[in-house]
Amino acid sequence: MNSSGILKSVLFFLCVTLVVLLVMPKDCAKKAAGPLAALRHPRSGGTKGLRIETSTPAPASRNLAYPAGLDAARLQYLIEVDGHFAAPLTLTCPKRPGGYPLGSSELVAALQSLRYIEPQPDGTYALTRDGLMNANATDNGASWSVPVAKRQFVQIDAIDCAAADQCAVTFKWQWQPNDVGQAMQPHLDPHSGTAQIVSGPDGWVVREVGGVDSWV
């Protein structure tokens, strides 16, 4: 190979090297910029952070002064888990019309309308198949105890603290009837309840809940 051929080969090699040096860094930079841009600009529309779902509605927002160590959500929880507040409302259905114990005529009518009970040849009532499956009735011998509703917390209305560790709470609540309760067509207006709360070594506790028994 003569010197002219060698020179051409060297020039060609230099041109290729120059093209590679000029083009490759830009192409690499573009490829690297994609993931970085995605990190800097996350997709919109998604949920950010941890979401905690709850079946209990958030307390209504009111301008109330809560004692130290207590807030609206905690107070609502303390009332809702109180044994008296959490217990379902049960009514009595006698197995024999007009017999002992006297029960709720509205409950008997509701159970009949739902076909949960039916009269027998001896004049007593008996639970039907649907009644056995859906009424959740407790057999007391001469009668049944039938749950008709549970209480639903609405909001805190007032807090009156006679001392730093003793407060009287006024709150609203309402009945949440099941299918038997709905068949009785009750009035579901909110009721006013009270709670006495005290603070001790383990924090605030409910000592007594009142005003939560009216079924009107």
Side-chain angles (χ1 to χ4, degrees):
M1 181 181 295
N2 55 30
S3 59
S4 177
I6 295 174
L7 181 60
K8 289 180 179 180
S9 297
V10 172
L11 290 175
F12 176 78
F13 177 77
L14 291 175
C15 289
V16 171
T17 302
L18 182 62
V19 170
V20 170
L21 293 176
L22 292 176
V23 175
M24 288 298 291
K26 295 180 179 180
D27 185 60
C28 291
K30 291 180 179 179
K31 292 180 178 180
L36 292 175
L39 291 174
R40 289 194 299 266
H41 303 286
R43 293 179 180 179
S44 59
T47 301
K48 299 180 180 179
L50 177 64
R51 295 185 63 185
I52 300 176
E53 300 291 341
T54 177
S55 59
T56 304
S61 177
R62 297 177 65 85
N63 295 324
L64 297 175
Y66 291 88
L70 197 63
D71 58 20
R74 177 63 179 173
L75 182 51
Q76 174 178 340
Y77 170 78
L78 292 175
I79 294 173
E80 288 178 331
V81 299
D82 175 77
H84 189 183
F85 187 88
L89 173 67
T90 60
L91 299 178
T92 299
C93 174
K95 294 183 179 180
R96 183 177 295 277
Y100 180 84
L102 295 177
S104 167
S105 58
E106 292 84 359
L107 174 61
V108 173
L111 292 172
Q112 287 182 309
S113 69
L114 294 169
R115 294 182 172 84
Y116 284 177
I117 60 173
E118 60 184 7
Q120 301 298 296
D122 63 357
T124 62
Y125 291 119
L127 289 169
T128 64
R129 180 180 178 183
D130 287 343
L132 289 170
M133 294 176 59
N134 301 314
N136 297 315
T138 300
D139 194 331
N140 299 320
S143 64
W144 294 287
S145 294
V146 182
V148 297
K150 63 181 181 179
R151 299 168 184 84
Q152 183 178 40
F153 179 92
V154 177
Q155 69 179 29
I156 300 293
D157 286 333
I159 302 175
D160 182 16
C161 296
D165 60 349
Q166 297 182 12
C167 299
V169 179
T170 303
F171 62 92
K172 280 191 176 65
W173 64 278
Q174 64 185 23
W175 288 112
Q176 189 175 36
N178 55 22
D179 58 340
V180 178
Q182 289 176 350
M184 297 176 67
Q185 301 180 353
H187 297 290
L188 299 180
D189 296 332
H191 300 274
S192 181
T194 60
Q196 302 296 323
I197 60 174
V198 296
S199 179
D202 298 325
W204 288 93
V205 296
V206 172
R207 185 169 59 186
E208 183 182 2
V209 170
V212 294
D213 295 315
S214 177
W215 175 244
V216 292

